[in-house]
Amino acid sequence: MKRLTLLVLSAFLLGSSCSSSEPTSTALPSPTSAPEAVSSTSAAATTSTTSTTLTPAEELQPLDEVLADQRIDASVGEPLDLSGGVSITVTDFDVEESGSDGAHYLRAFVRIENRGDEDGTRPEILIYCEGADEGGGYFSDPDLPEFTIPQGTFDEGSYFLSLPGEWDDYPHGTPHCDSPAVIRITSTSWSSGGPAEYEVQIPEDLLAVLNAPRIAN
């Protein structure tokens, strides 16, 4: 009897031990929250606003006066550097009559060189009279390039220049150009900081011929 009681007690204790040894769940720590996404707007560097200092309107200068101060007096036979390695030399002047109407052209003999490392452009040459704002007209002989001066080349030819207003009242108008008159040579390329301008004075005896009345019917 005593032995039976011990067996029953042992069985009861064994059952209690099994029921109490059930695994208990252990709460794992929650993962660290992912960092908030940074917007591209907030990540971009803030651009600082730079204020531009403007020249007061009362201090602005007339463009014609500024350009006039930058023009360079030159002479026949003097090589003139334009831009991008292009240069021109006015080697001589002459006057030629055109047709039976007595119109005259100033013929400027020139040599153009391109010593630069790129193709250049032919300069503009016009007659400007004292006190006049506009230049005359021109055409060039076929010996000169139409526009482009290839790198490493030179050419020689003539510009035929007419007085400002020469053809305003053709063929009855009488042109007149006040002295001193010049041919103004302007580069047509904006490399090297902008175009250079030179002025070569027209000899007085040639200007007198250019100012002679035309023979018009």
Side-chain angles (χ1 to χ4, degrees):
M1 182 70 179
K2 183 177 180 179
R3 185 176 180 181
L4 179 61
T5 303
L6 289 174
L7 290 175
V8 172
L9 180 60
S10 298
F12 174 78
L13 293 175
L14 181 63
S16 301
S17 173
C18 290
S19 62
S20 63
S21 63
E22 292 182 359
T24 57
S25 60
T26 304
L28 298 176
S30 59
T32 304
S33 301
E36 295 184 1
V38 180
S39 66
S40 59
T41 303
S42 60
T46 304
T47 303
S48 59
T49 303
T50 303
S51 59
T52 302
T53 302
L54 300 178
T55 303
E58 61 273 11
E59 296 182 12
L60 296 176
Q61 300 178 355
L63 178 60
D64 290 344
E65 293 181 8
V66 174
L67 293 177
D69 292 338
Q70 296 175 351
R71 291 183 192 118
I72 303 171
D73 293 334
S75 304
V76 173
E78 177 184 356
L80 309 176
D81 293 326
L82 298 172
S83 60
V86 176
S87 66
I88 184 171
T89 303
V90 179
T91 58
D92 202 1
F93 284 126
D94 196 2
V95 173
E96 293 197 1
E97 186 173 322
S98 173
S100 60
D101 60 3
H104 293 91
Y105 293 98
L106 178 70
R107 185 176 185 180
F109 298 88
V110 301
R111 176 185 172 95
I112 304 176
E113 300 177 350
N114 183 358
R115 301 189 181 201
D117 54 8
E118 296 181 355
D119 291 350
T121 55
R122 191 178 71 176
E124 177 185 79
I125 301 181
L126 301 176
I127 293 177
Y128 280 82
C129 306
E130 176 67 17
D133 295 328
E134 296 184 2
Y138 82 95
F139 65 92
S140 59
D141 63 27
D143 293 336
L144 289 177
E146 183 68 22
F147 185 72
T148 301
I149 306 170
Q151 180 270 337
T153 66
F154 78 91
D155 215 335
E156 296 176 331
S158 303
Y159 282 80
F160 295 87
L161 310 174
S162 61
L163 295 178
E166 175 78 28
W167 307 109
D168 289 351
D169 192 22
Y170 180 83
H172 302 291
T174 300
H176 181 76
C177 184
D178 289 332
S179 179
V182 298
I183 63 166
R184 184 176 299 166
I185 303 169
T186 306
S187 67
T188 53
S189 172
W190 283 85
S191 64
S192 302
E197 282 194 338
Y198 298 90
E199 290 186 340
V200 180
Q201 186 167 342
I202 300 172
E204 292 294 331
D205 57 334
L206 298 184
L207 183 60
V209 178
L210 292 173
N211 278 327
R214 290 199 295 250
I215 303 171
N217 298 324

